[in-house]
Amino acid sequence: MAAPFTRVYRPLWRIITTTTLNKGVRNVSSTRQQWSAQNVKTAGVASPWALHGAVCLQRLPVVSQDRSPIEDEFMELMHQMELERSLLSDHELRLLEDAARMSRKQEEESDEEEEDYRDKDIFTAQDLEDIWEQKLKQYQPAQRSQGVDEKGVSSSERCLAESLILLVKKDVGSQKLWLLPQIQWQTGETLRQTAERALASLPGADLKATFLGNAPCGFYKYKYPKDIQKEGSVGAKVFFFKALLSGHKHLPLEKNSFAWVKKDELQDFLKPEYLKQVRRFIMAL
Amino acid sequence: MNTLLTKVLLLQNTRALLCAASSLQSQVLTTQMPLGVLLTNRQYRSMPTHGIGKYRHLLPKALPKKKKDRVQAKQIKAATATEFGVFNVCVSGYDMTLVEHYSQYIHNLCNHLDIKVDESCALPTKSTEVMVMQEQGTKMYVDAVLKTHERIVQISEMKATLFPIFMEVVLKNQPEGVRLCVKQHTEADYQARFKTRPELEGLLAKIHN
């Protein structure tokens, strides 16, 4: 996944910016002594691109997806075949024996001595089966869908069969936009630490997450509008990191500033250019 | 053309001569030898068709089947900066079909992504007895026996950049009721697969004591 961002990158000021980009990459991959030395060397040259670290926080699916009609039919067929090919289990053999014995007992009524020897167990096989049925009825499995309104995007319990992504509403410049949580990079920290900070600094949400690796999974570059562009700043570059949500119960988040969306709902929330880059690294499985 | 013709004629002549010679020989010999002895009509090496039906020399060399020598402990490779060392993906659960199918899925995924799979094996099944205490009384009786099945896929030399993608795919397709665990492979894990030999251990203890 490191390949995409090096390909898309088209530097305007090649000499200066390549070194700073490399600095960003090196920070990401390892935090050894040698790379910090390189930091000190190139610290004097500032790049016109501001670096941001963003986190793509995903909630993994909790239940398996529903089967399509063909899959249902096929599964029924396979079950049927397996049943017809199988041999009788111990319990089923006992059931048959008991049934045969009962029918024999009813026909000939002089076998009472044999009964005392054989019926040592208190329960017959049929009784056992009834007891098991009773126990099964008492068991309540968890619901496949938690009964949360599917259209409301603020709960992380919706759509348990699919993976959801966290979006945050942020005001960028003059307008409010839906984005993946991002924060500006500071000197001396790796980009992955920036992404962790972005997650931790979300107001009103304590979300525990595991980051999968040190390498970013995606990249997005945008220029500031003309009136904001100064001598030293042209635009910003955002590096995305993937994280998986850990832990179970979460408090519902504010409706207007947070959203948990599926991949196909992303287009209702994100800008087209941003969406194009984000879609590349999100897997809808 | 002429030379060819003469050569062919010459060949035919020699063949005819040889045949005649061999038939004479066979006649002579059969009349003198007793009937029980069998005489083969072997072609001689200068014969053009000598060894015409041979194919054994074209087959690959089949080594003699050697006895299974003791399984050697493989050297566990250490992790480098860009690659993981040897790690185990353990899949465990109560439902054997789910566990096996999931481990097969992981193995096929590794093959598809060109990830080197060292081993794909099963650990012994562990049985757990669920005992229920009777309501009136202190005696516990066995309610059910649960069997935990475990499968291991051992992966080595995986690139650190590929690992997040691999983990994401594996986690997103994890079925319900199956536990997934990814851990480093150690010598202790390897030794745990072998059966204990109580007599040997007893003797060793005696020697040391």
Side-chain angles (χ1 to χ4, degrees):
Chain A
M1 275 299 177
F5 71 91
T6 48
R7 253 192 289 127
V8 169
Y9 175 54
R10 295 271 182 273
L12 294 171
W13 301 16
R14 199 158 288 176
I15 307 158
I16 304 166
T17 45
T18 36
T19 47
T20 45
L21 178 62
N22 281 342
K23 179 169 77 168
V25 169
R26 294 261 167 73
N27 271 336
V28 162
S29 59
S30 64
T31 50
R32 280 194 228 149
Q33 298 285 325
Q34 338 166 299
W35 309 134
S36 58
Q38 186 154 20
N39 273 351
V40 170
K41 258 191 265 168
T42 52
V45 186
S47 120
W49 298 93
L51 286 179
H52 292 260
V55 61
C56 169
L57 182 66
Q58 287 183 313
R59 189 222 66 193
L60 292 171
V62 177
V63 294
S64 53
Q65 289 178 342
D66 290 326
R67 279 179 283 269
S68 66
I70 294 179
E71 282 175 352
D72 250 336
E73 277 181 40
F74 187 68
M75 198 185 83
E76 290 292 325
L77 178 68
M78 294 308 285
H79 274 318
Q80 182 88 9
M81 280 175 65
E82 196 187 328
L83 187 70
E84 286 172 10
R85 279 189 197 169
S86 63
L87 302 170
L88 292 172
S89 68
D90 286 340
H91 175 74
E92 283 170 327
L93 284 173
R94 268 189 72 191
L95 271 176
L96 288 176
E97 269 177 29
D98 287 347
R101 207 188 302 147
M102 294 296 268
S103 61
R104 257 191 293 127
K105 195 169 130 187
Q106 277 164 11
E107 284 168 23
E108 317 152 7
E109 300 191 16
S110 57
D111 280 338
E112 287 164 25
E113 304 143 19
E114 288 180 46
E115 302 307 330
D116 294 330
Y117 284 123
R118 277 189 220 164
D119 272 9
K120 291 274 176 167
D121 343 315
I122 314 166
F123 301 108
T124 59
Q126 189 61 45
D127 291 337
L128 279 173
E129 215 175 290
D130 292 335
I131 295 172
W132 294 336
E133 289 258 6
Q134 287 292 317
K135 274 198 192 159
L136 183 65
K137 280 190 191 139
Q138 287 170 5
Y139 172 70
Q140 295 292 334
Q143 299 285 327
R144 271 186 77 91
S145 71
Q146 298 286 50
V148 175
D149 177 23
E150 295 291 324
K151 302 294 175 190
V153 291
S154 66
S155 166
S156 69
E157 309 285 335
R158 65 183 288 251
C159 295
L160 289 177
E162 276 150 41
S163 54
L164 300 176
I165 303 162
L166 180 69
L167 289 184
V168 180
K169 199 166 197 176
K170 208 173 147 186
D171 36 350
V172 173
S174 51
Q175 23 168 332
K176 280 192 171 266
L177 289 178
W178 283 104
L179 302 168
L180 297 176
Q182 74 183 46
I183 208 166
Q184 180 124 14
W185 172 78
Q186 287 165 356
T187 43
E189 66 173 4
T190 63
L191 271 172
R192 179 174 153 166
Q193 283 168 357
T194 317
E196 284 165 2
R197 206 160 46 90
L199 189 60
S201 67
L202 286 176
D206 63 342
L207 300 160
K208 299 274 182 318
T210 5
F211 278 79
L212 285 174
N214 287 331
C217 57
F219 163 75
Y220 177 64
K221 180 180 86 170
Y222 65 95
K223 283 195 197 166
Y224 297 139
K226 286 285 174 189
D227 39 341
I228 302 182
Q229 273 191 31
K230 289 180 295 207
E231 281 272 322
S233 68
V234 170
K237 288 182 179 157
V238 192
F239 289 91
F240 299 100
F241 285 82
K242 268 198 182 161
L244 299 174
L245 191 67
S246 53
H248 294 285
K249 282 295 170 192
H250 294 287
L251 306 164
L253 308 166
E254 269 182 67
K255 257 191 208 176
N256 291 328
S257 47
F258 293 95
W260 289 100
V261 290
K262 299 187 273 195
K263 187 179 176 180
D264 34 356
E265 291 171 359
L266 276 176
Q267 62 209 32
D268 302 330
F269 288 82
L270 301 178
K271 294 266 165 170
E273 280 300 314
Y274 192 71
L275 176 69
K276 203 170 103 173
Q277 294 299 328
V278 165
R279 249 196 190 154
R280 294 178 76 173
F281 58 80
I282 293 183
M283 288 194 255
L285 290 168
Chain B
M1 210 354 225
N2 269 333
T3 48
L4 260 176
L5 204 58
T6 45
K7 265 193 193 159
V8 167
L9 284 172
L10 196 64
L11 278 171
Q12 281 181 343
N13 276 341
T14 47
R15 211 177 291 153
L17 269 172
L18 273 171
C19 280
S22 60
S23 61
L24 265 175
Q25 232 180 4
S26 61
Q27 272 176 12
V28 162
L29 290 169
T30 42
T31 45
Q32 287 190 0
M33 290 286 168
L35 286 168
V37 177
L38 197 70
L39 287 170
T40 50
N41 232 352
R42 211 152 52 93
Q43 308 285 24
Y44 195 64
R45 281 188 201 152
S46 62
M47 184 91 182
T49 55
H50 178 77
I52 193 166
K54 271 198 214 170
Y55 67 92
R56 277 282 204 90
H57 63 286
L58 298 170
L59 292 176
K61 286 268 183 302
L63 296 160
K65 190 175 176 183
K66 53 179 187 210
K67 269 191 185 172
K68 261 192 186 172
D69 41 332
R70 187 159 291 182
V71 176
Q72 302 294 337
K74 267 186 275 194
Q75 199 69 348
I76 301 179
K77 290 186 193 135
T80 67
T82 48
E83 280 187 4
F84 282 94
V86 183
F87 63 91
N88 294 340
V89 180
C90 309
V91 179
S92 60
Y94 296 129
D95 189 358
M96 183 159 90
T97 51
L98 275 180
V99 167
E100 277 219 357
H101 280 259
Y102 189 49
S103 73
Q104 281 170 12
Y105 170 75
I106 295 176
H107 199 158
N108 284 330
L109 185 71
C110 292
N111 288 344
H112 185 64
L113 296 174
D114 290 328
I115 299 170
K116 193 165 139 196
V117 173
D118 269 350
E119 255 182 71
S120 175
C121 54
L123 292 183
T125 319
K126 298 186 181 116
S127 297
T128 325
E129 279 191 349
V130 176
M131 318 214 54
V132 176
M133 185 172 274
Q134 277 183 341
E135 274 137 38
Q136 296 98 21
T138 49
K139 193 177 149 202
M140 296 228 278
Y141 64 95
V142 176
D143 194 21
V145 176
L146 293 173
K147 291 192 190 158
T148 310
H149 308 268
E150 199 170 329
R151 300 282 180 274
I152 286 187
V153 179
Q154 197 175 93
I155 295 173
S156 69
E157 292 167 16
M158 174 185 246
K159 295 227 177 303
T161 43
L162 184 59
F163 183 75
I165 305 165
F166 172 73
M167 274 317 293
E168 212 192 316
V169 172
V170 159
L171 281 167
K172 280 194 175 171
N173 286 297
Q174 189 181 354
E176 301 113 315
V178 162
R179 203 178 315 127
L180 179 74
C181 175
V182 177
K183 46 190 186 188
Q184 288 271 357
H185 179 71
T186 56
E187 189 64 32
D189 285 335
Y190 177 69
Q191 294 296 338
R193 285 177 65 194
F194 290 105
K195 285 204 283 202
T196 55
R197 290 150 88 179
E199 325 91 23
L200 184 68
E201 279 168 19
L203 287 171
L204 278 172
K206 271 191 197 167
I207 292 169
H208 285 302
N209 290 347

